[in-house]
Amino acid sequence: LSFQISAALKEGQVTPTELCQRCLSFIKATKFLNAYITIAEDTALKQAEESEERYRRGQILGDLDGIPVAVKDNFNTAGIETTCASNMLKGYIPPYNATVVQKLLDQGAVLLGKTNLDEFAMGSGSTDGIFGPVRNPWSYSRQYRDKCVQNSHPENEDSNWLITGGSSGGVLAGHDPKDSTTVQDPFKSFELTCFTDASKLCIGIPKEYHAPGLSSETLALWSKAADLFENAGAKVIEVSLPHTRYSIVCYHVLCTAEVASNMARFDGLEYGHRSSMDKSTEVMYAATRREGFNDVVRGRILSGNYFLLKQNYENYFIKAQKVRRLIAKDFVNVFHSGIDVLLTPTTLSDTIPYVEFIKEDNRTRSAQDDIFTQAANMAGLPAITVPTALSEKGLPIGLQFIGRAFQEQQLLAVAKWFEKQVGVETAPVVLHPTPSSQARYYKERRGEAEEPAMLTGGEGQEGPL
């Protein structure tokens, strides 16, 4: 889509300012989704005007020049509040940009604002931040409302909205000088080629990903996708990743240990929230962290510190590192056997209503929802999810492709080819919730009496490009 917008900008079909204004209008019109924490309207319009001037001079910075982007609110943005959806950082304005943000701005991208998330991105539903949960736009799609919502009682309509999922994704290309854990090898840019000959591909189907709780719909879709590749001439082979079953437990130990280490910086002294309880430094530390972090973040800090205790270090942290090595080796063995790309589910099923999601605690939900995705992170492999079909409820289901290490070009080419074959519509036609439920949501979550503008879904409604 960004290529189409870039082409429209270059051909003069739309100006960066017009595009920015349309996107800002759409953000305001869909405010009931609670997708944004901060809308950087003045900054965005200024950047759009600067981009427009570059287009007039024929001196654009790159293909992203004039393209509107939003940044998740756990990336630093100079001069724009960065909260991580936490009381600990509410009101914090960073003096510098995160590297990924700076790379976007250096290419001329227009920053619209900061988007909502679970506090410090710890969760799988975007439901546990201080600004309230995010509503999935598919909750108001014609597909979902026609098949599910209209059959429910009017008084329950507001409980039918769906979670968005979480936490996040994205591949930062090149070394980040602000992050010592990033690969320092030089990065060579590439263009995404159109993959044409599937007969040269070997697709692996990991049998361990046929996990308990996998919905029959997702399983059938996974099977159909494998058939699609096979019918196109590709080899499709069942493979084994035997240590996958230990991956989620291993991830819990390593993730919480990392959280405990990283969160030690939030002590109330240098930046962020500071408690008024100052009887002693220790009291101030403890009160600051109790007031600043929610239960989920505090729980992960406590777990991580427990695993890192001297008496537990060998039995938990070191053992988890060894298991992580075994998990990574499983992937290496599979790819060395001739497999080019692995095809797996992304989630157990399509998304679910918020009221169902919160019946389980954050940790349980994260363990359930991360089961197919975190193993690639543990092994340091690129992975991508492609929307593949709509479920019986009219909601998108995606499948995941996992590629060889540092072979993003091949992975993206395969994903692009697959996306063209399935041709699923990825953007819902968003309808507005009923005024009563919308107003109630705002009063509960934002303390605002007024109702935002609503989308009608009718003719002439401007949607996002």
Side-chain angles (χ1 to χ4, degrees), residues 34 47 63 122 129 155 166 189 207 249 290 318 376 427 436:
N34 201 29
Q47 291 171 350
D63 289 334
M122 296 184 195
E155 61 270 20
S189 61
K207 63 181 182 180
V249 178
R290 183 178 64 251
I318 295 300
S436 59

Side-chain angles (χ1 to χ4, degrees), residues 416-436:
K416 183 178 180 180
W417 178 88
F418 180 74
E419 186 178 46
K420 286 185 176 180
Q421 305 307 306
V422 296
V424 66
E425 178 60 55
T426 58
V429 176
V430 181
L431 307 173
H432 63 79
T434 61
S436 59

Side-chain angles (χ1 to χ4, degrees), residues 118-153:
D118 288 305
E119 184 166 327
F120 283 98
M122 296 184 195
S124 61
S126 298
T127 60
D128 288 322
I130 63 169
F131 299 102
V134 184
R135 296 187 172 203
N136 193 321
W138 282 91
S139 308
Y140 308 104
S141 68
R142 287 199 178 102
Q143 299 95 319
Y144 178 67
R145 290 168 70 89
D146 288 346
K147 295 185 178 182
C148 296
V149 176
Q150 289 185 359
N151 296 325
S152 65
H153 296 292

Side-chain angles (χ1 to χ4, degrees), residues 251-462:
Y251 174 76
H252 173 69
V253 174
L254 296 178
C255 176
T256 56
E258 186 174 308
V259 166
S261 175
N262 285 339
M263 293 297 172
R265 75 188 72 179
F266 297 107
D267 53 17
L269 291 179
E270 298 177 53
Y271 58 89
H273 175 70
R274 178 186 292 193
S275 175
S276 59
M277 297 180 66
D278 55 359
K279 292 181 181 180
S280 69
T281 303
E282 289 76 15
V283 168
M284 189 274 289
Y285 278 175
T288 292
R289 292 163 75 78
R290 183 178 64 251
E291 296 166 7
F293 296 133
N294 69 4
D295 291 343
V296 174
V297 177
R298 289 201 301 270
R300 293 198 186 191
I301 291 172
L302 288 170
S303 295
N305 281 325
Y306 175 81
F307 296 139
L308 292 173
L309 288 173
K310 184 177 181 180
Q311 62 267 35
N312 296 331
Y313 188 76
E314 290 284 340
N315 287 333
Y316 289 98
F317 185 74
I318 295 300
K319 187 173 289 185
Q321 291 281 31
K322 292 178 179 179
V323 173
R324 178 181 185 173
R325 182 64 61 88
L326 294 174
I327 293 167
K329 190 176 180 181
D330 283 347
F331 283 100
V332 170
N333 291 339
V334 163
F335 287 125
H336 280 176
S337 72
I339 299 296
D340 294 303
V341 175
L342 296 171
L343 172 64
T344 80
T346 303
T347 55
L348 291 168
S349 65
D350 57 10
T351 189
I352 61 175
Y354 172 72
V355 291
E356 292 295 322
F357 183 80
I358 59 174
K359 288 180 179 178
E360 299 281 3
D361 61 275
N362 180 290
R363 179 180 172 183
T364 301
R365 283 299 185 194
S366 294
Q368 292 171 341
D369 297 335
D370 293 348
I371 188 171
F372 297 130
T373 55
Q374 48 74 36
N377 297 334
M378 299 279 282
L381 299 174
I384 185 172
T385 288
V386 179
T388 305
L390 296 182
S391 69
E392 292 179 358
K393 292 185 291 185
L395 301 173
I397 300 177
L399 293 177
Q400 176 180 228
F401 294 94
I402 303 174
R404 298 168 180 257
F406 304 109
Q407 294 298 316
E408 287 87 353
Q409 185 171 12
Q410 182 189 48
L411 176 67
L412 291 171
V414 172
K416 183 178 180 180
W417 178 88
F418 180 74
E419 186 178 46
K420 286 185 176 180
Q421 305 307 306
V422 296
V424 66
E425 178 60 55
T426 58
V429 176
V430 181
L431 307 173
H432 63 79
T434 61
S436 59
S437 66
Q438 192 174 4
R440 183 165 61 253
Y441 171 76
Y442 262 76
K443 289 176 182 177
E444 290 174 355
R445 293 294 178 187
R446 291 285 199 178
E448 298 176 4
E450 73 275 9
E451 296 178 12
M454 296 182 290
L455 292 184
T456 64
E459 294 181 5
Q461 173 62 52
E462 292 290 346

Side-chain angles (χ1 to χ4, degrees), residues 201-231:
L201 273 181
C202 187
I203 305 294
I205 308 294
K207 63 181 182 180
E208 288 80 8
Y209 281 62
H210 190 168
L214 185 64
S215 72
S216 57
E217 260 189 318
T218 304
L219 179 60
L221 189 62
W222 187 19
S223 179
K224 287 180 181 178
D227 291 341
L228 187 153
F229 277 102
E230 199 164 45
N231 293 336

